[in-house]
Amino acid sequence: QVLLAESGGGSVQTGDSLRLSCVTSGFTFDTHFMGWFRQAAGKEREMVAALSPSGGSRSYSQFATGRFTISRDNANKSAFLQLNGLQPEDTAIYYCAATQLTAWSFTTKLPEKWMYWGQGTQVTVSS
């Protein structure tokens, strides 16, 4: 059974930081890309960041560049998202996802390209 379990969300103030964690089981972690997505109320789910199986290649959405950092620990089958400089517009449910890709492409950011999903963790940023 595939399981992705996020944690680390919470309610913070503008400018604060959070570290999201995603613990996984049930699939071969080190052969899968790992990604973080978010979905704000009334909006579509969007990719935040993604990371190759080895951790050597990353992709960030424009809003995440310079503020958020994705990482992974293959030995412990976990992925992480460091969120710095949080703003109210970052308020959303953050989801961990995993998939197998042959290569990066412009479709990597599409939620339908990702195989496995967690239940999400809420991040709320107030001004």
Side-chain angles (χ1 to χ4, degrees):
Q1 180 182 0
V2 172
L3 178 66
L4 289 80
E6 303 96 334
S7 62
S11 296
V12 297
Q13 301 289 317
T14 298
D16 284 350
S17 299
L18 285 172
R19 180 176 171 84
L20 307 182
S21 298
C22 175
V23 177
T24 77
S25 62
F27 64 98
T28 307
F29 185 80
D30 61 4
T31 66
H32 284 65
F33 282 69
M34 294 301 298
W36 286 92
F37 288 72
R38 71 183 188 183
Q39 188 165 18
K43 296 187 177 180
E44 294 187 350
R45 191 169 298 191
E46 61 181 351
M47 193 188 83
V48 178
L51 185 61
S52 62
S54 69
S57 180
R58 295 170 171 79
S59 178
Y60 292 97
S61 292
Q62 187 173 3
F63 63 82
T65 300
R67 295 192 301 136
F68 300 168
T69 303
I70 188 172
S71 61
R72 63 191 295 159
D73 179 350
N74 284 356
N76 290 300
K77 302 181 180 181
S78 299
F80 308 95
L81 186 66
Q82 178 69 39
L83 307 172
N84 294 333
L86 284 162
Q87 302 295 316
E89 53 266 33
D90 295 317
T91 294
I93 299 173
Y94 284 72
Y95 297 90
C96 175
T99 197
Q100 288 187 307
L101 300 170
T102 54
W104 293 102
S105 78
F106 71 95
T107 62
T108 301
K109 64 181 180 180
L110 300 177
E112 55 264 36
K113 294 297 183 181
W114 293 76
M115 297 168 56
Y116 306 128
W117 292 87
Q119 294 298 307
T121 185
Q122 177 71 47
V123 172
T124 303
V125 186
S126 56
S127 57

